[in-house]
Amino acid sequence: MSIDVTMRGPLFDGRAARAADRACDDARDDVAAYAEERVLMGTAANFKTRTPYYETRVTTERVSGDVSLVHDQGVIYGPWLEGVGSRNAPVTRFAGYRFWRAAKQAVAARGPQIAEIAVQRHLPEMGG
């Protein structure tokens, strides 16, 4: 007596693995976009006279397959705006706006939900 077993479906033909990879990419991209959005919301809320230069320097860069980095491209006065530069308090009265710190806290709080939504979008492709 012999039994023939045929395995088919997303798990066995590679579709589930490809969908999981796309879900991870989407999650990373969505969380990075949220982080960039939060930084720009902070600049909009804090800058009294808005000039586009600093805001156009805020960008997201994919630095590896797993990591995206939101940064200001090394703008010389970026640390001063954040409040971590050598010319901030106590040297001057300006303590900084802290919009990068606020964005980091928002991403820490909301990032898992954003990632989960991205994964949920790909579950049907995984056979779920």
Side-chain angles (χ1 to χ4, degrees):
M1 175 172 163
S2 72
I3 298 175
D4 290 329
V5 177
T6 304
M7 294 185 270
R8 63 180 149 218
L11 184 60
F12 301 104
D13 64 14
R15 286 181 288 164
R18 288 190 299 275
D21 288 342
R22 285 192 300 277
C24 289
D25 286 345
D26 285 356
R28 184 198 55 254
D29 293 343
D30 293 352
V31 170
Y34 177 72
E36 184 175 334
E37 175 186 316
R38 295 301 300 196
V39 169
L40 293 174
M41 286 173 56
T43 62
N46 287 298
F47 292 177
K48 289 179 177 69
T49 304
R50 292 177 65 193
T51 57
Y53 181 77
Y54 187 78
E55 291 171 334
T56 61
R57 300 287 101 191
V58 175
T59 187
T60 301
E61 178 182 355
R62 189 171 183 172
V63 294
S64 74
D66 298 335
V67 178
S68 289
L69 177 66
V70 180
H71 60 95
D72 66 2
Q73 300 180 31
V75 173
I76 192 81
Y77 54 88
W80 178 77
L81 287 172
E82 181 62 13
V84 296
S86 62
R87 297 193 180 258
N88 291 101
V91 176
T92 64
R93 292 182 305 186
F94 182 63
Y97 295 121
R98 309 247 191 272
F99 46 83
W100 285 98
R101 183 178 303 171
K104 182 179 177 181
Q105 291 169 346
V107 168
R110 185 102 193 283
Q113 293 170 309
I114 294 169
E116 184 174 337
I117 290 168
V119 170
Q120 292 288 333
R121 286 194 310 259
H122 292 278
L123 280 181
E125 301 169 52
M126 296 179 204

